[in-house]
Amino acid sequence: MSRAVRSFRLTGAAAAAALVLAGCSLAPTYERPAAPISAQWPDAQAANVQDAQVPAAEIGWREFFRDARLQRVIEITLENNRDLRIALQRVEEARAQYGVQRGEQFPSIGLGAQGTRQHVPQNMRVGGPDSTSISSQYQAGLALTSFEIDLFGKLRNQSEAAFQTFLATEQAQKTAQINLVGQVAQAYLTLRAAESELELVRQTRKAREESFDLVRARYEGEVASELELNQARSLLDSADATLAALDRTRSQARNALTVLMGQPEPGDLPEAAPFDRDQLLASVPAGLPSDLLARRPDIMGAEHQLLAANASIGAARAAFFPTISLTGLLGSGSAPLSGLFEAGSGMWSFSPQIAMPLFAGGSIRSGVALAEARNNIAVAQYEQTIQQAFREVADALAGEATYGTQLDAQRSFTQAQLKTLDLSNLRYENGVDSYLQVQTAQIDALDAQRSLIQTGLAALVNRIELYKALGGGWNEQTVQSDAQVDGESGDGGNAVADQAASS
């Protein structure tokens, strides 16, 4: 067998071995950790939870929030909020980082030129002591910079880790938008509740002023005592103090909403829906706990981080094995610069390099241990994210199960307090009771009315929390026909929202 044939066979065998090894990966086989949660929601029956054809995560926020003014506020917020802009640029940053890392898997080829002039001592001159002491060499052509052959998957695993980090950043952007939509909706409803309370106290102050005028007239007619006059005045002063506090609360709520919107509130917003039964939120189908794994972006992002950590173990393990890199040049070379591109100046160079770690002071083994520890951390963070998501949904379902009863009781209590106030006024005017009874009844009636507004607000906010906890708020429109949306968001699923809004 000729030497050329043996050389060809050896070269082919080496190339085949390289191709086989190039498919190797030292990363552990990925297995999704078991979800550390129950298969059913607590309070699901009490909350009247039902499965639906459209999961909550796919319900568009325009369908969920039914106030045209709030819809416009959310739209402005998504266009101008600075936190959302930062989250978007984080995605672009991760995308670019993945591109950089992926490029390491491919050779870098470009045009190159280099020249060398050096003084050669007499004892090293090729032509003897009388030859020239200055030597020159020039080269130009296509250059292959140091290209690492990824036999053991180090670069491929590093690229995979960067890719999974990029995907996790995309999910983080979705999480940021979901949280932002929920925050702006809650800030808007808080502002509306403050305005409702402010209007209530204004009406109460007007009634107390009329009551004060009545007591003062009775006092001047020597029918009422000075004590009763002071009691009526104290109620009026208390209403003024409450008005100032609520005016401050309203201003602070408006400021918070302005920051979220990223700009001052425009003057052309749609007319706000009344803060009553028209201020409705669509019903939210909870589905099953397992749905969170595929629909909550923070859980999906945590799993991408886990996949990135898993790939990093493979990259760390590859450091135990040899590293092979190539450098080459294809072009022309010449001693004088003038002959660089003349006929017969063609040249090529090929420089393979191999490095095998023998002793590194334990740094390679520690690198693997570090990657494995980070992977264990990622597993715990993934499980923790699932548990936190489960709790958020369970808490919101507990609210759905109880707010309806609480609002009914609060509404009945408020009506009783208002009736007591009417009777107290009547008994005072007829001289049966002292003004102390009227004072107590006025305070109790106002507290009951304000408590009803706050409980209604809490019920609406709880519905928003459930929508957000199930992954809703990313889509603007529901990918579904209007008939299906209307069928799923009918009266049966809106009992709590109706009662909350009616306050």
Side-chain angles (χ1 to χ4, degrees):
M1 183 181 295
S2 68
R3 181 179 299 178
V5 173
R6 287 197 303 269
S7 176
F8 177 78
R9 288 185 175 179
L10 288 174
T11 302
L19 289 174
V20 172
L21 290 174
C24 294
S25 176
L26 302 177
T29 301
Y30 175 75
E31 293 183 4
R32 175 185 286 177
I37 55 176
S38 172
Q40 297 294 331
W41 300 114
D43 300 310
Q45 185 174 0
N48 193 25
V49 172
Q50 297 179 352
D51 293 336
Q53 294 180 354
V54 179
E58 297 181 8
I59 297 177
W61 54 260
R62 285 194 181 275
E63 280 71 36
F64 180 71
F65 300 106
R66 296 178 173 178
D67 183 1
R69 188 182 186 92
L70 176 55
Q71 291 176 359
R72 178 57 182 153
V73 167
I74 293 176
E75 183 180 355
I76 294 174
T77 300
L78 295 180
E79 293 173 355
N80 296 282
N81 184 265
R82 301 311 189 268
D83 288 336
L84 200 58
R85 290 183 183 179
I86 293 173
L88 179 60
Q89 293 307 311
R90 294 292 187 199
V91 174
E92 296 303 318
E93 178 187 28
R95 189 198 308 273
Q97 182 61 43
Y98 165 60
V100 171
Q101 189 62 56
R102 187 171 182 270
E104 296 292 330
Q105 296 180 261
F106 302 95
S108 177
I109 301 175
L111 294 174
Q114 64 180 21
T116 303
R117 287 179 61 82
Q118 61 179 350
H119 175 268
V120 182
Q122 290 185 357
N123 59 353
M124 295 180 61
R125 296 174 189 173
V126 178
D130 296 332
S131 61
T132 178
S133 63
I134 303 298
S135 67
S136 302
Q137 184 178 9
Y138 300 94
Q139 297 175 344
L142 292 176
L144 171 67
T145 59
S146 183
F147 166 57
E148 181 176 345
I149 300 177
D150 193 24
L151 295 181
F152 302 100
K154 182 182 76 172
L155 297 179
R156 188 165 60 257
N157 281 313
Q158 288 176 342
S159 177
E160 176 65 16
F163 178 63
Q164 294 297 335
T165 300
F166 158 63
L167 295 180
T169 309
E170 276 193 326
Q171 298 301 327
Q173 180 203 0
K174 292 184 178 181
T175 301
Q177 177 173 321
I178 288 172
N179 290 332
L180 180 61
V181 169
Q183 287 175 357
V184 73
Q186 292 181 25
Y188 173 82
L189 292 176
T190 300
L191 176 60
R192 296 296 308 280
E195 292 173 343
S196 296
E197 283 194 75
L198 195 59
E199 181 60 28
L200 171 64
V201 176
R202 283 173 180 161
Q203 295 173 1
T204 301
R205 188 199 182 282
K206 183 178 179 181
R208 289 182 180 182
E209 186 175 16
E210 294 173 354
S211 180
F212 173 74
D213 292 339
L214 173 63
V215 175
R216 182 171 58 184
R218 291 169 62 88
Y219 172 74
E220 293 173 351
E222 298 182 353
V223 177
S225 66
E226 184 177 0
L227 174 61
E228 293 173 331
L229 181 64
N230 287 331
Q231 288 172 337
R233 181 182 290 112
S234 68
L235 286 175
L236 191 60
D237 292 339
S238 175
D240 289 334
T242 304
L243 279 174
L246 287 175
D247 189 56
R248 179 174 61 252
T249 300
R250 180 185 61 176
S251 297
Q252 291 172 345
R254 180 176 287 113
N255 293 338
L257 187 59
T258 299
V259 171
L260 289 173
M261 291 176 64
Q263 68 172 50
E265 188 176 75
D268 60 346
L269 289 177
E271 188 70 21
F275 200 61
D276 54 20
R277 288 188 181 274
D278 292 330
Q279 178 69 52
L280 297 177
L281 304 177
S283 61
V284 182
L288 297 174
S290 58
D291 294 341
L292 291 178
L293 303 182
R295 302 192 185 280
R296 264 195 58 144
D298 58 339
I299 295 178
M300 291 187 285
E303 185 171 15
H304 285 306
Q305 293 289 8
L306 178 55
L307 287 165
N310 191 75
S312 295
I313 294 178
R317 289 175 176 175
F320 282 110
F321 297 90
T323 300
I324 301 176
S325 58
L326 304 177
T327 303
L329 177 68
L330 176 63
S332 60
S334 173
L337 181 61
S338 58
L340 183 59
F341 297 105
E342 293 181 353
S345 62
M347 63 157 293
W348 60 268
S349 65
F350 178 68
S351 302
Q353 297 178 348
I354 183 170
M356 176 67 186
L358 296 178
F359 176 76
S363 61
I364 298 177
R365 191 175 301 277
S366 295
V368 174
L370 176 62
E372 291 175 344
R374 287 175 174 172
N375 183 72
N376 293 334
I377 292 173
V379 171
Q381 289 175 333
Y382 173 71
E383 294 173 341
Q384 185 181 48
T385 302
I386 294 175
Q387 290 177 331
Q388 180 63 30
F390 183 88
R391 178 192 171 180
E392 290 174 1
V393 176
D395 286 348
L397 288 176
E400 292 287 283
T402 56
Y403 269 118
T405 302
Q406 182 180 355
L407 280 165
D408 287 340
Q410 187 68 42
R411 187 174 294 107
S412 178
F413 175 73
T414 301
Q415 293 299 324
Q417 292 298 326
L418 291 173
K419 183 64 175 180
T420 300
L421 176 59
D422 291 338
L423 293 174
S424 298
N425 282 324
L426 183 61
R427 291 172 65 85
Y428 173 71
E429 293 172 2
N430 290 304
V432 177
D433 286 336
S434 67
Y435 195 77
L436 178 60
Q437 300 298 325
V438 177
Q439 182 185 38
T440 302
Q442 286 189 349
I443 293 174
D444 291 344
L446 179 60
D447 289 344
Q449 288 175 294
R450 293 185 62 187
S451 178
L452 180 59
I453 292 176
Q454 288 299 319
T455 304
L457 172 64
L460 291 172
V461 170
N462 182 80
R463 177 64 64 86
I464 295 173
E465 288 293 338
L466 178 59
Y467 177 61
K468 185 175 70 172
L470 291 169
W474 170 248
N475 295 319
E476 180 177 357
Q477 302 286 349
T478 303
V479 187
Q480 180 177 305
S481 67
D482 293 337
Q484 289 175 309
V485 172
D486 292 339
E488 291 180 8
S489 58
D491 297 336
N494 280 319
V496 175
D498 290 348
Q499 293 167 339
S502 65
S503 64

